[in-house]
């Protein structure tokens, strides 16, 4: 019974998928943090352009 419990790897796949999902989430957070400043600049520029067009 102990041998079959030790050799059973059915839960290993779920753990591996969980680790991969965690790493992908960390990579996405890191990318968004790195691009945050440039995205803010982009959206500020778009907002200024729309505001200028609306007021003229």
């Amino acid at each position: 019974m102990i041998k079959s419990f030790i050799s059973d790897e059915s839960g290993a796949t779920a753990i591996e998928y969980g680790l991969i999902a965690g790493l992908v989430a960390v990579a996405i957070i890191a990318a968004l943090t790195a691009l945050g400043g440039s995205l803010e600049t982009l959206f500020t520029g778009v907002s200024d352009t729309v505001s200028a067009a609306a007021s003229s």
Side-chain angles (χ1 to χ4, degrees), residues 19-32:
L19 289 173
I20 290 170
L23 289 173
V24 168
V26 168
I28 290 171
I29 291 169
L32 290 177

Side-chain angles (χ1 to χ4, degrees), residues 1-10:
M1 186 165 126
I2 294 175
K3 281 185 180 182
S4 67
F5 177 75
I6 292 173
S7 65
D8 185 18
E9 295 182 1
S10 61

Side-chain angles (χ1 to χ4, degrees), residues 1-55:
M1 186 165 126
I2 294 175
K3 281 185 180 182
S4 67
F5 177 75
I6 292 173
S7 65
D8 185 18
E9 295 182 1
S10 61
T13 303
I15 292 172
E16 290 169 356
Y17 284 136
L19 289 173
I20 290 170
L23 289 173
V24 168
V26 168
I28 290 171
I29 291 169
L32 290 177
T33 301
L35 294 174
S38 62
L39 287 176
E40 181 180 1
T41 303
L42 173 70
F43 285 121
T44 301
V46 170
S47 174
D48 292 342
T49 304
V50 170
S51 295
S55 64

